[in-house]
Amino acid sequence: MLGKTANGLFWMSRYLERAENIARLIETGQRIGLTRLGNSEEEWTSVLESAGSLGAFLAENDTVTKEAAINWMLRARENPSSIQSCIHAARQNARLVRTAITGELWEAINATYMDSKTLLARKVSERDMPNVMRLIRQNAALVRGMTHGTMLRNEIYDFLRLGTFLERADNTARILDVKYYVLLPSVRSVGTSIDNVQWESILRSVSARGGFRMEYGASGGPQEITHFLILDKRMPRSLAFCVGKLKTNLGYLNSGQPQRCPAQRLVADLESRYLSHDVAAIFDYGLHEFIQDVLDSLSKVSRQIEIDFRFYE
C-alpha cells in the first residue's frame, strides 16, 4: 500500500474525479437513451456494466430499471462508487491529510460534501436531474481550481495528479465503450443521424464539444471524434493527455533515482503499445477490444503505483 499520506492524497483525488465522472456517465446514458429504439432495461444494464458496478447492483436489486440504476449510481450507500459514496470517501481522505493540503482546498472539498448531502438527500427526479448533474460538475471544478491555484508543485501535488489522471483516463475509456459497443442500437445505425447524435453526446459528456468544433468544424465524424478522445494530446480528457500526465508526475516523484520505477515502465509500455498508432489501426483492432486492453493496463499501473510508493510519507 501507499504510505499513509500519499494514500490519502491519491485516493482523495481519485474519488473526487470519480464522482464527477459518474455524473458524466449518467448524462451520457440519458442522452444516448433518447435516440435508442430498444429496451430501457438493456440500456441501463449496459451503463452499469461500463461503470463496473453491474454485479453489485444485481446483488441488491432484482431487475434493472432506469430509475433504480440512476439512484444506484447517484446515492446508494451500498454502492462504493456512487456519487454520494465517492464524495464522502474523498472528504474522509482529505481529513486524514488535512495538514498536507491548503485551507482553501479543504474548504472546497467540505463544501462539495455538504452540497452533495443536500442534493442527494432523496431520490432525484427526472426534472431535477440536469441541475443536480450541473452542480456536481461545478463543485468538482471548484475543487480542481483550488488545487491548481493554491497547492505547491511538490510531491503532494504529484500524488493528487496521479489519482486524478488515472481516474480520468479510465472514465474516458469507459464512456467510449458505452457508445461504440454497448449503446449503439444496431450495426444498421452506423453512419445514420442516430449514430451522429450519439457521437455528439459523447463529446458533450467529456466537455469536448467546443474544442472538437474548433479543430474540425462541423465535418468531423466517428473517426475524428475517436482520435480526439484517444490520441489528441491537447485535449485534457483524452487518453493520450492523461497518460502523458501520469508519465510526467511519476517522473517527478522518481527524480534522482538511477532508473525508472516499475510504474513508470508500465506507463511507457501503455503509451507505446496503445497510443502510438493512428485511429484507423485502432478501429481495425476493434475499439471495444482496444478499450478493454487500456482499462486493464490502467488497473495494473494503479496497483504498481501503490507498490512503488508504499513507504512514501
Side-chain angles (χ1 to χ4, degrees), residues 2-293:
L2 286 167
K4 184 178 179 181
T5 301
N7 185 73
L9 295 163
F10 179 77
W11 282 104
M12 181 192 86
S13 60
R14 283 203 74 161
Y15 279 124
L16 286 167
E17 184 72 22
R18 186 175 299 176
E20 179 182 3
N21 293 340
I22 292 295
R24 292 176 181 277
L25 192 60
I26 292 171
E27 289 180 308
T28 301
Q30 286 189 301
R31 285 180 179 143
I32 292 179
L34 293 174
T35 66
R36 183 176 171 83
L37 305 175
N39 188 312
S40 177
E41 178 178 320
E42 180 184 345
E43 170 191 326
W44 287 96
T45 297
S46 301
V47 174
L48 288 166
E49 185 174 6
S50 294
S53 59
L54 178 60
F57 176 87
L58 292 175
E60 298 287 337
N61 300 270
D62 295 330
T63 59
V64 177
T65 64
K66 177 180 178 179
E67 182 182 73
I70 290 177
N71 189 66
W72 175 262
M73 297 172 76
L74 274 178
R75 54 190 297 275
R77 293 182 179 180
E78 304 85 357
N79 178 12
S81 290
S82 72
I83 290 173
Q84 194 164 42
S85 295
C86 286
I87 293 175
H88 175 74
R91 182 175 181 268
Q92 289 296 98
N93 279 284
R95 289 180 64 185
L96 291 174
V97 296
R98 178 66 186 83
T99 58
I101 61 177
T102 61
E104 292 89 346
L105 178 52
W106 163 252
E107 288 171 5
I109 294 169
N110 198 48
T112 297
Y113 170 75
M114 298 303 292
D115 285 349
S116 71
K117 284 189 67 176
T118 301
L119 290 169
L120 304 176
R122 57 186 60 84
K123 286 187 178 181
V124 180
S125 68
E126 188 83 19
R127 182 185 63 183
D128 294 334
M129 189 69 66
N131 188 52
V132 170
M133 297 295 99
R134 178 179 58 82
L135 290 172
I136 288 169
R137 286 189 279 104
Q138 285 181 349
N139 276 326
L142 173 63
V143 173
R144 191 158 49 244
M146 288 302 178
T147 302
H148 295 331
T150 68
M151 292 294 296
L152 292 175
R153 271 36 175 186
N154 55 14
E155 66 277 6
I156 293 172
Y157 184 78
D158 291 327
F159 279 113
L160 290 173
R161 299 286 273 179
L162 287 177
T164 293
F165 286 110
L166 267 170
E167 197 66 38
R168 186 175 296 178
D170 181 274
N171 174 73
T172 296
R174 289 180 185 278
I175 283 180
L176 273 169
D177 204 36
V178 167
K179 162 63 184 78
Y180 203 77
Y181 272 90
V182 182
L183 288 184
L184 191 64
S186 73
V187 174
R188 293 190 302 274
S189 297
V190 175
T192 67
S193 59
I194 290 177
D195 189 37
N196 293 335
V197 169
Q198 290 180 342
W199 279 111
E200 182 84 2
S201 296
I202 293 296
L203 286 172
R204 288 179 181 274
S205 70
V206 292
S207 300
R209 183 174 178 271
F212 183 80
R213 294 299 176 219
M214 290 177 188
E215 181 67 16
Y216 293 99
S219 62
Q223 287 213 357
E224 289 78 15
I225 292 172
T226 303
H227 178 274
F228 195 61
L229 297 184
I230 292 178
L231 300 172
D232 196 320
K233 295 182 179 180
R234 302 166 300 169
M235 196 275 167
R237 289 186 176 273
S238 75
L239 294 181
F241 184 94
C242 293
V243 169
K245 292 298 182 182
L246 291 176
K247 186 165 73 171
T248 298
N249 289 106
L250 281 169
Y252 290 146
L253 286 169
N254 201 52
S255 63
Q257 300 302 313
Q259 57 185 354
R260 294 183 302 175
C261 65
Q264 284 178 289
R265 292 196 289 272
L266 284 176
V267 170
D269 180 67
L270 191 165
E271 186 176 51
S272 64
R273 181 175 297 185
Y274 299 111
L275 302 176
S276 61
H277 307 288
D278 60 28
V279 72
I282 292 174
F283 275 96
D284 287 343
Y285 182 74
L287 184 57
H288 176 68
E289 292 77 11
F290 172 86
I291 291 299
Q292 291 304 310
D293 287 351

